[in-house]
Amino acid sequence: KQEVTQIPAALSVPEGENLVLNCSFTDSAIYNLQWFRQDPGKGLTSLLLIQSSQREQTSGRLNASLDKSSGRSTLYIAASQPGDSATYLCAVPTGGGNKLTFGTGTQLKVEL
Amino acid sequence: ETGVTQTPRHLVMGMTNKKSLKCEQHLGHNAMYWYKQSAKKPLELMFVYNFKEQTENNSVPSRFSPECPNSSHLFLHLHTLQPEDSALYLCASSQAASGGSSTDTQYFGPGTRLTVL
């Protein structure tokens, strides 16, 4: 059974700092990995999707990497801003189709 | 703002009540999903509908009854719930839920915060 773990569970950083969020998964036979953002009381917003054939994907200040063999992905956020404060979730497809298994998330707070 | 809407946004109900959650997507997608998000637990997939047909029931208790009358609408009918069913219920949609290496991103609604007394 696929298990997805995210470390740390919570993180507080000063504005402007670069930071890394971690995601690990137990079954490396994945087609892709997605990173989502969830703001309090709201749904999820897809940030990046990395195909299994890719090693990284970039969008603005966000860079996600994928190492299938080691079962790990990282989300790098450059020059963090208070607006980046949210919970970040990673997810992998499981069992075919588009069923996603999610991690428990990292709650990020960027302080002024 | 996403193209997936959910109503109501908040719901408080007793264990003997019957209520329904509604989800609507305006993205022209063919697959819709129900997820449950409880405190301190990962999102759990509940149901998947692909072209109006249920393709996944993740061992969900029968007190939760989904309905998908068309590709744009998804309902979750609730009956005799338990306090432990209190959670955020999220709806999502994607182009399709085909087997194999689907790369379709799922688009989520804002969720319904359900409290069962």
Side-chain angles (χ1 to χ4, degrees):
Chain A
K1 177 185 176 184
Q2 176 76 273
E3 293 183 4
V4 181
T5 305
Q6 291 186 246
I7 296 174
L11 181 63
S12 182
V13 301
E15 182 180 14
E17 193 162 296
N18 301 326
L19 57 99
V20 175
L21 307 181
N22 298 292
C23 172
S24 61
F25 44 94
T26 55
D27 185 349
S28 61
I30 60 170
Y31 297 116
N32 59 57
L33 182 143
Q34 293 187 58
W35 282 94
F36 292 87
R37 167 184 174 142
Q38 185 175 28
D39 292 284
K42 295 188 178 182
L44 279 64
T45 301
S46 180
L47 297 173
L48 290 164
L49 185 153
I50 313 176
Q51 305 290 353
S52 59
S53 58
Q54 298 175 314
R55 293 191 66 84
E56 63 179 56
Q57 190 72 255
T58 297
S59 176
R61 294 182 293 108
L62 305 179
N63 177 278
S65 67
L66 176 63
D67 184 344
K68 277 185 59 177
S69 60
S70 67
R72 294 180 181 177
S73 175
T74 61
L75 180 65
Y76 175 84
I77 302 177
S80 58
Q81 303 171 358
D84 295 329
S85 299
T87 297
Y88 291 81
L89 298 157
C90 65
V92 295
T94 304
N98 213 11
K99 297 181 293 183
L100 295 178
T101 298
F102 283 84
T104 50
T106 294
Q107 188 172 7
L108 172 65
K109 183 176 181 180
V110 181
E111 299 174 315
L112 290 169
Chain B
E1 190 67 40
T2 68
V4 182
T5 59
Q6 291 187 243
T7 55
R9 293 293 309 276
H10 301 272
L11 178 63
V12 180
M13 60 186 290
M15 289 190 286
T16 59
N17 292 158
K18 290 184 181 181
K19 297 287 184 182
S20 295
L21 309 184
K22 179 182 177 182
C23 175
E24 184 173 0
Q25 58 95 359
H26 311 275
L27 301 169
H29 290 162
N30 296 305
M32 297 188 77
Y33 312 78
W34 278 118
Y35 288 89
K36 176 183 179 182
Q37 188 175 34
S38 303
K40 307 299 182 184
K41 293 177 65 176
L43 263 80
E44 302 172 68
L45 179 67
M46 300 175 71
F47 301 102
V48 180
Y49 276 82
N50 200 27
F51 294 93
K52 302 188 298 179
E53 298 297 321
Q54 187 182 119
T55 57
E56 181 76 20
N57 178 335
N58 196 23
S59 303
V60 180
S62 60
R63 57 185 183 270
F64 295 91
S65 176
E67 178 189 1
C68 188
N70 55 62
S71 293
S72 299
H73 294 84
L74 184 65
F75 295 89
L76 188 63
H77 303 300
L78 315 173
H79 177 49
T80 59
L81 295 191
Q82 305 298 312
E84 59 265 29
D85 296 323
S86 298
L88 180 68
Y89 288 84
L90 291 164
C91 173
S93 72
S94 69
Q95 284 289 350
S98 58
S101 59
S102 173
T103 59
D104 293 331
T105 297
Q106 293 184 22
Y107 294 82
F108 284 78
T112 295
R113 174 69 63 185
L114 174 67
T115 302
V116 182
L117 301 176

